[in-house]
Amino acid sequence: MGVQLFVRSVRGVRRVSKSSPTIEGAGVRLKRAFGPAEVHLLDPFLLLDDFHSGDPDDYVAGFPWHPHRGMETVTYLIRGVVEHEDSTGNKGVINSGDVQWMTAGSGILHHEMPKEYKGLMQGFQLWVNLPASRKMMSPRYRDVKMEQIPVVSVNGDAKAKIIAGQIDGVKGPVKDLVVEVEYLDVSILPNKEFKHSVTRGNNAFAYVFEGGGSFDQQRANTVKAEHLVIFTDGDEVKVKADESGVRFLLVSGKPIAEPVAWGGPIVMNTREELDIAFAELQKGEFIRSR
Ligand code: FE
């Protein structure tokens, strides 16, 4: 009888980069981990912003009323308070540990205002693209409270908050997504290892925000906070924490593989669709459904 070998390949590191200081909204100082230049590497993801600061002057100006169309914004607040309100009538507060998964679809106008917070305020906003067939879907929200996000222990060496996706059959609260996305917040104890299956063919990245660790098999390089790791393809990722432990976002998604026409907060497939969107904004005809 023959012996069949199933070799699961571990993803390597395609690129490591440091996030760069950027000013957004009405003057919020943040760090951009990736953006338009990385779309070809990270499709379906468009952008990741890391906002963390102990100085309210860096963030209280916030993101006053602005539009989105053709994409999703995923806001994950590690600590802090963000008030929001939008054209669908949705209004509320994102608190420490909460997630807001907003599908702009055909169009939404909203404002996102971080409130003064004692100590370090920290959060992330990820943009996920939508395929042509769903860019004009009705807007929808998933407001997820911290208590709804399961935390699982992985071999006692690591713990992971599952926002979307699954570990050992435990599923995150954000389901039925338009584009298949897994979103985890992983903490590994000092010098311990974590491995996790990631669907082959999906693009994957890790964004380190505490401590450091190695994300390649050779363990040649320690990746520290404020750095993005873009993985090569494969069946799983393996991460080893350094002596300080490491915490990172681990996000993967199925590529959409369509042309991207990007106009600030509006992301469509063609230049013409962008022109229509901006013309509609000017005429006050941007919002299709409330
Ligand atoms: Fe926004």
Side-chain angles (χ1 to χ4, degrees):
M1 208 166 94
V3 177
Q4 226 175 345
L5 292 172
F6 292 95
V7 180
R8 288 171 57 75
S9 75
V10 179
R11 287 178 180 239
V13 171
R14 180 164 184 173
R15 198 186 96 179
V16 176
S17 53
K18 193 175 196 310
S19 55
S20 51
T22 307
I23 293 180
E24 267 295 349
V28 176
R29 273 182 278 275
L30 50 79
K31 302 280 172 72
R32 180 150 296 159
F34 65 86
E38 283 80 20
V39 172
H40 65 291
L41 297 173
L42 287 171
D43 177 19
F45 306 110
L46 298 165
L47 172 152
L48 178 69
D49 281 344
D50 163 8
F51 40 108
H52 66 271
S53 173
D55 180 359
D57 286 347
D58 283 345
Y59 58 79
V60 288
F63 305 87
W65 291 97
H66 60 277
H68 288 289
R69 174 179 283 180
M71 38 75 82
E72 302 184 293
T73 63
V74 181
T75 306
Y76 176 32
L77 203 55
I78 302 293
R79 38 188 103 73
V81 178
V82 177
E83 289 181 358
H84 66 91
E85 189 177 349
D86 69 66
S87 54
T88 69
N90 199 328
K91 183 178 177 168
V93 179
I94 306 171
N95 286 298
S96 299
D98 296 348
V99 171
Q100 183 197 66
W101 201 296
M102 192 270 285
T103 305
S106 60
I108 209 163
L109 291 163
H110 72 169
H111 74 159
E112 305 161 281
M113 305 301 284
K115 295 287 126 186
E116 188 164 340
Y117 185 76
K118 274 201 176 66
L120 185 73
M121 178 273 202
Q122 181 159 37
F124 302 98
Q125 190 169 80
L126 173 71
W127 290 15
V128 185
N129 205 358
L130 288 171
S133 60
R134 305 298 295 280
K135 280 192 179 295
M136 296 303 281
M137 68 185 279
S138 293
R140 74 176 181 192
Y141 268 92
R142 317 287 182 87
D143 277 310
V144 181
K145 295 290 167 204
M146 182 177 67
E147 307 77 58
Q148 298 170 266
I149 300 172
V151 184
V152 297
S153 168
V154 182
N155 299 324
D157 294 336
K159 66 179 173 120
K161 295 186 178 201
I162 310 171
I163 294 162
Q166 64 171 314
I167 294 179
D168 296 336
V170 180
K171 288 187 174 135
V174 184
K175 293 168 187 159
D176 305 317
L177 288 166
V178 175
V179 177
E180 177 189 307
V181 169
E182 184 164 73
Y183 193 136
L184 309 174
D185 169 359
V186 182
S187 302
I188 312 178
L189 291 170
N191 302 312
K192 299 292 187 185
E193 215 177 76
F194 165 85
K195 66 176 183 180
H196 180 67
S197 293
V198 176
T199 306
R200 178 172 276 276
N202 286 8
N203 284 322
F205 70 85
Y207 184 73
V208 179
F209 61 101
E210 285 174 23
S214 47
F215 291 75
D216 55 342
Q217 283 291 78
Q218 296 71 36
R219 293 176 187 162
N221 299 301
T222 290
V223 180
K224 296 283 190 187
E226 290 188 17
H227 284 77
L228 172 79
V229 175
I230 300 178
F231 292 101
T232 60
D233 201 3
D235 301 300
E236 60 184 8
V237 296
K238 269 188 190 171
V239 184
K240 183 163 187 294
D242 68 13
E243 65 288 345
S244 57
V246 66
R247 186 174 179 188
F248 55 97
L249 305 179
L250 178 60
V251 182
S252 59
K254 192 176 175 163
I256 293 171
E258 290 177 3
V260 175
W262 194 321
I266 299 172
V267 183
M268 304 302 287
N269 295 107
T270 66
R271 180 73 240 175
E272 293 67 37
E273 289 166 339
L274 284 184
D275 291 344
I276 291 168
F278 286 106
E280 287 178 351
L281 265 173
Q282 288 215 318
K283 290 184 284 184
E285 293 168 3
F286 184 74
I287 299 303
R288 308 286 180 93
S289 61
R290 283 169 201 281

